[in-house]
Amino acid sequence: MFTLLIVIIVLALIFDYINGFHDAANAIATVVATKVLSPFQAVLWAAFFNFLAYWVFGLGVANTVAKTANSSEIDLVVILAGVIAAIIWNLITWWQGIPSSSSHTLIGGFAGAAIAHAIAIHGFSDYTIVVDNVAQTRHWYNIVSWYKEGKDGGMPSGVVVIIAFIILAPLLGALISYFISIWLLNASKKSILPKLFTVALMIASVWFVSSQMIPYDEIEKPRFDSHFWSIVFESHNIKWFLVAFIILSISTFALTFSSLSLQKADSVLKKMQLLSSAAFSLGHGGNDSQKVMGIIAAAVAVYINQTHSLVLNLPHWLQVVLPDDDKGVEGLMPDWIPLACYTAIAVGTLSGGWKIVKTMGTKITKVTSFEGVAAETAGALTLYFTEHFKIPVSTTHTITGSIIGVGLTKRISAVRWGVTVSLLWAWVLTIPVSGLLAALVYYFLKIFLA
């Protein structure tokens, strides 16, 4: 069983590597399309910020993914089948140049294998389990966490919420990029109203971000003796500092846009693309690496449950505890898991993924530096806010929606809807196809690993 756990961890990191080159296009397609960076420079840039996310983001998304299925009711074969199915589907879509979601592939595979396991063990009949000394009647589909209300009115979680964001994430990206584009287009005119709006937005942004900061007294493990540096380098605070920096940078450009020549404005926008692509790569690394962390954490939790081990009796590198808000249990994850996951996705990004770069950078709509800044900024902000609410979203869906949003500012026909509809079909089919594939892989593996 320990060997099976090691195999799952290795395959999960391989999936993370594949995720890197499969989704590399998300962050670098517009930079390459506008010739701000060469393809090689672009992947180096994206990979660096993929890895840098290790110091910025927490583990909220990882915890959500780890709870896709009830760890007390599944075995390691379930997780192995889910990871194998996710790798297969990712490679198929990469080969076909389809920018599908690695996130939904992984979650669909995990859920599909779990349901196959429940049907194999219990059939379609009800069964009883004991939770905290209380007997509960369950159905075969209850093995997956479909929907759970948020604590104290917070954001709900579960697979249904993740599925909803197949539509909501690109819609948010499109709306934000459309707003940024309209804002900058108006800022290019010699009018006082856009400048007043920009100043008001800067003030509102500073106020909002400052309200989200964690003060020194509430930091669990301050990194420095200095109160100031501990607050600045707290991972939660770094994320909000970045949000403020992005908004204030674009606002500063908006205030001076009308006074710049066309050539000078384009030169500044190309430099700003470096910022926006870096911000998106950071969000990509933080969001997608956490999903693999969640799978590894779930595998260790299942191993502990199946071997009836006590966490404290295990080697330090296996001491994983899944958080439970209802019981007030805080999660525990050894540092090697996030470090390995961020490294794997960064190395994967270095490997490129030029088939999808072509689709994202040229086939949806013609992208200039102006559109690139708007799309990448919108995508980054969407990823930061969804990560804040612990929602695993697709970076692919997010940036695609953002590119569509900037295309709509020109005219509806500027978006190549034939390509977009094909992408939508790939998005909708990803979870059920990867789930079905995982179920088949599960039944095959059970023949040899029963």
Side-chain angles (χ1 to χ4, degrees), residues 52-313:
L52 199 63
Y54 171 69
W55 286 277
V56 177
F57 294 95
L59 302 172
V61 171
N63 295 334
T64 300
V65 173
K67 295 178 181 178
T68 299
N70 190 335
S71 61
S72 64
E73 295 185 54
I74 62 175
D75 57 22
L76 289 176
V77 179
V78 169
I79 300 177
L80 178 61
V83 174
I84 290 174
I87 290 174
I88 293 171
W89 183 245
N90 247 12
L91 289 175
I92 290 172
T93 53
W94 166 76
W95 184 253
Q96 295 297 318
I98 302 169
S100 66
S101 167
S102 297
S103 311
H104 292 124
T105 300
L106 189 62
I107 291 165
F110 192 8
I115 290 173
H117 174 74
I119 294 173
I121 301 297
H122 306 290
F124 293 98
S125 304
D126 295 348
Y127 60 96
T128 302
I129 63 170
V130 178
V131 180
D132 296 331
N133 297 319
V134 177
Q136 296 182 3
T137 300
R138 310 271 286 181
H139 309 288
W140 57 274
Y141 52 81
N142 289 140
I143 197 167
V144 173
S145 176
W146 295 104
Y147 182 84
K148 183 180 180 181
E149 292 185 359
K151 188 177 181 182
D152 299 327
M155 192 73 185
S157 61
V159 174
V160 171
V161 176
I162 295 170
I163 292 173
F165 271 84
I166 291 177
I167 302 298
L168 293 177
L171 183 59
L172 281 171
L175 288 173
I176 296 173
S177 65
Y178 184 83
F179 166 79
I180 292 173
S181 299
I182 295 298
W183 169 34
L184 291 179
L185 285 171
N186 281 280
S188 66
K189 302 173 183 176
K190 294 186 181 297
S191 171
I192 190 64
L193 288 178
K195 290 179 171 55
L196 291 175
F197 171 80
T198 300
V199 171
L201 180 64
M202 294 172 77
I203 294 171
S205 299
V206 171
W207 171 81
F208 174 77
V209 168
S210 62
S211 69
Q212 299 299 315
M213 294 290 109
I214 295 179
Y216 180 83
D217 295 339
E218 296 180 18
I219 298 176
E220 292 184 11
K221 296 179 180 179
R223 297 182 180 182
F224 302 93
D225 294 332
S226 166
H227 286 210
F228 175 78
W229 291 114
S230 294
I231 292 171
V232 169
F233 285 98
E234 172 63 23
S235 59
H236 173 90
N237 293 346
I238 292 175
K239 178 176 63 183
W240 290 112
F241 281 134
L242 287 171
V243 169
F245 182 70
I246 292 168
I247 296 174
L248 293 178
S249 296
I250 295 181
S251 298
T252 302
F253 172 75
L255 289 174
T256 59
F257 197 2
S258 61
S259 63
L260 300 175
S261 65
L262 188 61
Q263 185 177 2
K264 181 63 176 176
D266 185 61
S267 175
V268 174
L269 282 167
K270 285 187 175 182
K271 291 182 175 65
M272 288 179 64
Q273 261 200 284
L274 294 175
L275 169 64
S276 60
S277 63
F280 190 85
S281 294
L282 201 67
H284 171 217
N287 200 286
D288 283 24
S289 291
Q290 284 192 59
K291 292 152 193 168
V292 178
M293 291 180 219
I295 291 295
I296 294 175
V300 176
V302 170
Y303 172 80
I304 291 171
N305 183 62
Q306 284 192 285
T307 56
H308 305 290
S309 305
L310 293 175
V311 174
L312 294 178
N313 291 339

